[in-house]
Amino acid sequence: MKTLFQIIRFCIVGGAATMLHYGIAISMLMLDMAVFWANWIGFLSAFGLGFAGHVFFTFHDCQTRKLSALTKYAFVSLTSFLCGQSLLTVAMLFYGMPDDLALSLVIILTATINFLLSRNWAFAVASRSGKGAD
């Protein structure tokens, strides 16, 4: 049950960060900015919201030090973002997808990867008994 509530909280925080990311990126596209730069600006805008939300809401019971969690979360977020940028390039150049559709699909995929890596590494709590945290 704890995992289910954690997924729900992750979706709330991730959804808010994703909406911020997407909204800013789409706004930049409307100003004729290149999709890759628009995506960077959206990502950077949403990073702080995502980290704060996950520390204080999603993984609030995590005993990991905040600086350690920030470092790991930054690594997870940046890595998944760079993978997303690569997928965005492939979707647009090789498949001719429209900017907004490609951006939407990439953001959804990277959010899923972020949950798994955040839960299992960035905000993971080391178990003293050797059993899972659930």
Side-chain angles (χ1 to χ4, degrees):
M1 196 60 120
K2 176 182 174 185
T3 300
L4 175 61
F5 290 128
Q6 195 172 61
I7 290 171
I8 292 168
R9 289 189 306 265
F10 185 89
C11 288
I12 292 168
V13 171
T18 299
M19 287 189 303
L20 179 62
H21 178 161
Y22 188 72
I24 289 175
I26 290 297
S27 297
M28 297 296 104
L29 290 177
M30 293 167 67
L31 296 173
D32 291 326
M33 181 177 283
V35 69
F36 303 104
W37 289 113
N39 198 26
W40 266 110
I41 292 171
F43 166 76
L44 292 172
S45 299
F47 178 83
L49 175 64
F51 178 72
H54 292 318
V55 164
F56 297 111
F57 185 60
T58 307
F59 304 107
H60 62 88
D61 56 351
C62 172
Q63 300 301 312
T64 303
R65 290 177 302 140
K66 303 302 183 250
L67 182 59
S68 174
L70 175 61
T71 303
K72 290 177 180 179
Y73 182 75
F75 178 79
V76 166
S77 294
L78 187 58
T79 300
S80 68
F81 175 77
L82 293 173
C83 290
Q85 282 287 72
S86 299
L87 291 173
L88 189 60
T89 301
V90 168
M92 293 176 61
L93 295 179
F94 295 107
Y95 294 102
M97 284 187 181
D99 293 356
D100 54 349
L101 175 61
L103 189 59
S104 299
L105 294 174
V106 166
I107 288 173
I108 290 167
L109 179 63
T110 57
T112 303
I113 293 167
N114 274 346
F115 172 74
L116 295 172
L117 292 174
S118 292
R119 181 178 189 274
N120 295 313
W121 183 60
F123 297 98
V125 177
S127 174
R128 291 186 186 110
S129 66
K131 295 181 181 177
D134 292 333

